[in-house]
Amino acid sequence: MSRTLPAAAATSAVAETTTTATPASGGRLWRRVLVAGVVAAWLIVPASLAVVMYFDRQLDEVGRPELALGLSDGVVYILAMFSAATVGAALALRRPRHPVGWLFLAQGGVLAVGTALISYATYGAIARPGSLPVAAVAGVVGDSGFLVWFVLIALIFHLTPDGRPLSRRWAVLAWATVVSGVIAVLATWLSDGPLDPPVESIRNPMAISGIGDLMEYVGGIADIATAIGVLVGALSLIARYRRARGLERRQLLWMAPAAIFVPILVAASFVASYLDNDAVLSVVAGLFVVLLPLA
């Protein structure tokens, strides 16, 4: 009997060790997957910029340097991409269950991929038509990228700092911004209206004949609604800051003042777009995106 008890105790100890080791090993695996996913998401930015550099060189070789995006002229945009992706990566690694880190990562990725798609389309559909597959489609999709990051900015406002909207009413407004953004993107994909420079000469191969004018009208309304949604998101952050106390107020110390500039930047971006002033639009839009992660 005395020999049986130590043996049973040893068996129990081994079982307990195995039981506790399994969750720990699972936790390490999850951490590795998390790190790999975050690193892969961050690498989208430099990879996309490498694509832009490649096609800029190709455009120069075929005698169309005026179509090149010119990364040296888009320093603000590049800073916006890397700042959003880097802040997102840091937040996602530190607080993987918090949505804002992933939203920042998505924002940096959307900006970078959209720029790469436009560069691809500029070469494959304008400089050398037919040389690259689905180049026109890439141009249309890349042109709608700014609508996606408008939605992402609005959600970041609504979900900072605790990952939840300020109230149910604010949550409804956040969802309304998502819906208007989706409608705006789909309308861009299905309408035959002109795209923005440098892909304005591309004819949309996804446009549905007979409803192009309707889609352009719906898209215009959805664009305005999405922009208003960004302003509403900024207002929700300011309202949260005014109500906050203690730790939460300190967490919002820099974000809330940054949100105050959003209405000015949104209005300036719309004016620059209406006047076809690409230089001002690039600077304003870049500042618009870079402001939040830096704050």
Side-chain angles (χ1 to χ4, degrees), residues 110-213:
V110 165
L111 280 169
V113 171
T115 304
L117 289 174
I118 289 175
S119 185
Y120 178 92
T122 301
Y123 180 82
I126 300 176
R128 294 190 62 191
S131 61
L132 295 174
V134 296
V137 173
V140 176
V141 174
D143 188 65
S144 64
F146 78 97
L147 295 165
V148 178
W149 58 257
F150 262 44
V151 173
L152 294 173
I153 289 172
L155 292 177
I156 289 170
F157 279 139
H158 280 289
L159 300 176
T160 299
D162 59 5
R164 296 186 300 273
L166 187 57
S167 67
R168 289 186 178 181
R169 291 181 180 178
W170 289 106
V172 170
L173 293 173
W175 276 109
T177 304
V178 173
V179 171
S180 65
V182 170
I183 293 173
V185 169
L186 292 177
T188 300
W189 290 359
L190 300 178
S191 71
D192 53 4
L195 302 176
D196 294 324
V199 292
E200 70 273 17
S201 63
I202 292 178
R203 295 284 298 179
N204 183 3
M206 298 185 291
I208 299 177
S209 60
I211 64 169
D213 292 340

Side-chain angles (χ1 to χ4, degrees), residues 14 20 39 96 107-108 206 221 240:
V14 171
T20 55
V39 170
Q107 188 182 58
M206 298 185 291
I221 295 175
R240 192 191 292 265

Side-chain angles (χ1 to χ4, degrees), residues 5-247:
L5 288 175
T11 303
S12 176
V14 171
E16 289 179 4
T17 303
T18 304
T19 303
T20 55
T22 301
S25 60
R28 285 193 295 270
L29 177 61
W30 157 246
R31 185 66 185 177
R32 290 173 184 171
V33 172
L34 172 66
V35 172
V38 170
V39 170
W42 187 89
L43 287 174
I44 289 174
V45 174
S48 298
L49 293 178
V51 171
V52 175
M53 292 174 64
Y54 170 78
F55 282 112
D56 276 1
R57 187 167 62 251
Q58 294 297 110
L59 288 167
D60 187 59
E61 290 180 358
V62 298
R64 299 298 303 272
E66 76 281 1
L67 294 176
L69 295 184
L71 293 181
S72 59
D73 299 328
V75 175
V76 176
Y77 258 119
I78 295 173
L79 178 60
M81 295 175 195
F82 276 106
S83 62
T86 302
V87 170
L91 289 174
L93 290 173
R94 181 83 180 224
R95 297 283 300 278
R97 296 183 183 276
H98 200 295
V100 169
W102 299 105
L103 289 172
F104 269 124
L105 265 174
Q107 188 182 58
V110 165
L111 280 169
V113 171
T115 304
L117 289 174
I118 289 175
S119 185
Y120 178 92
T122 301
Y123 180 82
I126 300 176
R128 294 190 62 191
S131 61
L132 295 174
V134 296
V137 173
V140 176
V141 174
D143 188 65
S144 64
F146 78 97
L147 295 165
V148 178
W149 58 257
F150 262 44
V151 173
L152 294 173
I153 289 172
L155 292 177
I156 289 170
F157 279 139
H158 280 289
L159 300 176
T160 299
D162 59 5
R164 296 186 300 273
L166 187 57
S167 67
R168 289 186 178 181
R169 291 181 180 178
W170 289 106
V172 170
L173 293 173
W175 276 109
T177 304
V178 173
V179 171
S180 65
V182 170
I183 293 173
V185 169
L186 292 177
T188 300
W189 290 359
L190 300 178
S191 71
D192 53 4
L195 302 176
D196 294 324
V199 292
E200 70 273 17
S201 63
I202 292 178
R203 295 284 298 179
N204 183 3
M206 298 185 291
I208 299 177
S209 60
I211 64 169
D213 292 340
L214 175 62
M215 287 294 99
E216 193 171 354
Y217 177 75
V218 170
I221 295 175
D223 288 351
I224 295 173
T226 305
I228 292 174
V230 177
L231 300 181
V232 170
L235 290 175
S236 78
L237 188 64
I238 295 171
R240 192 191 292 265
Y241 178 74
R242 294 183 62 184
R243 299 182 191 180
R245 297 292 182 271
L247 176 61

